[in-house]
Amino acid sequence: MKQFLKLAEFCKNNNIAYDAEKDRQFNIFCDLLEEKNRVMNLTGVTDHDEAEIIHFIDSVEAAAVINELYGKDTNIKVLDIGTGAGFPGIPLKIVMPHAEFVLADALNKRINFINEVISAANLENITAIQGRAEEIGQSGMRESFDICVSRAVADTSVLLEYVLPTVKKGGLCILYKSGDYRKELETAAYALDVLGGTLEDVKEFCLPESDIGRSLVIIRKINDTPLKYPRRPGKPSKSPLIMK
Ligand code: SAM
């Protein structure tokens, strides 16, 4: 079993609780990721040292923001859209045991993998569902989450149509971005306005022992999202809400 010392240090420096049980759960997740990645395409990074930085520390960054805004032990409801192999949802769940999580992805094989992780690591109050963001936003789950997170799923103008319909008015969307988020935000200004959001903050990070820059773009939902959004599956990416 590996001790995720860099992750533990990151958590300590960011006021996120970390202990031996969480270390055990991250080990189970990492072992399963390595094992299953041999037979299905889950991620390019399974080496434990690399995954600790690229996947785990990167994913838990939002916990610092959420703890600061909501308090550490709050029973909030969080959705991860396009979770893939469980990022950022699984690491966030491990360090935020009091929050309720729903992890969603369009691909069922990834959901099956996540269910294996949930069961092996004894994670509670977490559900993995197969579904497209466009369907979730028009289902009974519409406007039912306090926070929606999403990493590496789509350009901001498209992503906003996936995430904003899912959160309650007053709730947050936390978008994990690499590269030039400013340019994406400029293009997404129209979508942000139409869908009822406003830019609250951007937190910039550099992943430890690397020059890899990451940003958390924090969007607050200040108005109801018009009922016609999200549009039908495929429409947001084919025809993003951009002022022509
Ligand atoms: N968030 C994970 C990460 O950071 O490692 C996975 C990123 S992967 C590049 C993008 C994921 O988003 C894929 O698993 C894909 O199936 C999912 N996805 C793309 N569009 C989606 C949509 N409209 N609804 C739900 N999932 C979607």
Side-chain angles (χ1 to χ4, degrees):
M1 189 168 125
K2 174 182 160 66
Q3 270 188 298
F4 289 108
L5 295 173
K6 289 172 198 145
L7 175 60
E9 192 188 344
F10 179 87
C11 287
K12 190 171 159 217
N13 293 340
N14 287 279
N15 201 22
I16 300 165
Y18 196 84
D19 56 23
E21 172 59 7
K22 295 183 173 67
D23 215 52
R24 190 185 72 82
Q25 291 171 320
F26 274 107
N27 269 282
I28 291 169
F29 183 24
C30 216
D31 290 347
L32 271 174
L33 202 55
E34 195 176 19
E35 183 194 322
K36 301 289 173 189
N37 205 51
R38 290 192 205 112
V39 288
M40 65 169 110
N41 181 20
L42 287 167
T43 168
V45 175
T46 57
D47 169 76
H48 284 36
D49 293 335
E50 222 182 324
E52 179 177 19
I53 292 174
I54 300 285
H55 285 324
F56 298 164
I57 294 180
D58 189 30
S59 292
V60 301
E61 280 165 357
V65 175
I66 297 170
N67 286 346
E68 204 179 303
L69 292 172
Y70 290 81
K72 254 187 185 171
D73 300 335
T74 332
N75 189 13
I76 47 168
K77 205 171 163 187
V78 184
L79 171 68
D80 178 9
I81 289 261
T83 188
F87 301 110
I90 296 273
L92 281 176
K93 173 67 213 181
I94 294 174
V95 299
M96 296 171 58
H98 296 276
E100 181 182 343
F101 276 80
V102 176
L103 275 50
D105 200 278
L107 293 183
N108 203 37
K109 64 173 187 167
R110 301 204 166 128
I111 296 305
N112 292 339
F113 167 74
I114 290 169
N115 277 325
E116 279 193 56
V117 177
I118 290 173
S119 151
N122 295 320
L123 296 175
E124 289 173 355
N125 220 1
I126 175 168
T127 317
I129 55 166
Q130 191 243 322
R132 290 190 63 101
E134 299 93 316
E135 295 158 343
I136 293 166
Q138 292 293 4
S139 73
M141 285 182 275
R142 183 184 174 90
E143 303 202 326
S144 68
F145 293 91
D146 299 290
I147 297 175
C148 181
V149 294
S150 194
R151 186 181 90 153
V153 171
D155 264 15
T156 305
S157 49
V158 176
L159 193 55
L160 288 173
E161 192 169 348
Y162 293 165
V163 296
L164 270 166
T166 68
V167 296
K168 300 169 188 167
K169 195 163 146 184
L172 287 183
C173 299
I174 304 182
L175 315 179
Y176 289 66
K177 288 284 161 191
S178 50
D180 190 358
Y181 69 84
R182 289 179 192 86
K183 205 155 184 204
E184 277 196 35
L185 274 176
E186 264 174 43
T187 316
Y190 176 69
L192 191 60
D193 187 44
V194 166
L195 297 165
T198 186
L199 177 65
E200 177 148 312
D201 202 357
V202 180
K203 304 268 186 211
E204 295 186 35
F205 291 83
C206 188
L207 292 177
E209 294 174 14
S210 77
D211 54 1
I212 303 172
R214 295 280 207 239
S215 311
L216 293 181
V217 173
I218 304 165
I219 306 286
R220 176 82 64 182
K221 178 157 168 171
I222 50 168
N223 289 314
D224 291 328
T225 301
L227 278 174
K228 67 173 177 177
Y229 302 113
R231 292 165 291 165
R232 63 181 158 75
K235 188 84 179 164
S237 58
K238 263 189 220 112
S239 195
L241 291 170
I242 295 170
M243 185 79 96
K244 300 268 155 53

